Amino acid sequence: QVHVVESGGGLVQPGGSLRLSCAASGSIFSINDMGWYRQAPGKERELVADITSGGRSNYADSVKGRFTISRDNAKNTLYLQMNSLKPEDTAVYYCKVEDWGLPYWGQGTQVTVSS
């Protein structure tokens, strides 16, 4: 079983920055893709960004140029640097880790962008 925990969410003003972290632990075999998803009230969960074990990343159009995903393979940790935040970025952000092809999700961390 793989345990996934997100941290770093909070309240920030428009234009501000936050850095999310996601740590995977437990019976890890081989983590491949890792990604950040978000779900706003009344909306479906959507991909924000993901990254392969080799470092190839992919972003949603809505966050390109503002968010940066990165990972530390030695620590099984994923990061999301979020800059120039907008009110529409408000959501619960979830981390997904794929270990041996199986997806594991964290409980989510709330990000609120408001003045």
Side-chain angles (χ1 to χ4, degrees):
Q1 186 72 16
V2 177
H3 189 51
V4 178
V5 178
E6 304 97 338
S7 61
L11 173 64
V12 63
Q13 292 187 344
S17 298
L18 281 176
R19 188 188 193 215
L20 304 183
S21 298
C22 166
S25 61
S27 302
I28 294 171
F29 181 75
S30 178
I31 293 178
N32 295 315
D33 292 354
M34 303 178 80
W36 289 100
Y37 292 72
R38 68 186 181 187
Q39 187 166 18
K43 295 188 177 181
E44 294 186 354
R45 190 173 298 187
E46 63 176 1
L47 173 69
V48 176
D50 58 15
I51 185 169
T52 67
S53 57
R56 187 172 67 247
S57 58
N58 173 57
Y59 295 90
D61 288 343
S62 59
V63 307
K64 282 181 181 177
R66 300 188 298 121
F67 292 9
T68 302
I69 191 170
S70 60
R71 62 189 284 173
D72 185 331
N73 290 333
K75 296 181 179 179
N76 294 319
T77 301
L78 179 70
Y79 304 98
L80 185 68
Q81 178 65 44
M82 305 186 294
N83 298 328
S84 302
L85 282 160
K86 304 176 181 180
E88 50 263 44
D89 295 318
T90 295
V92 178
Y93 283 70
Y94 297 91
C95 173
K96 187 178 84 169
V97 172
E98 291 189 1
D99 180 59
W100 199 232
L102 296 177
Y104 296 91
W105 293 88
Q107 292 300 306
T109 185
Q110 176 71 46
V111 172
T112 302
V113 185
S114 175
S115 55

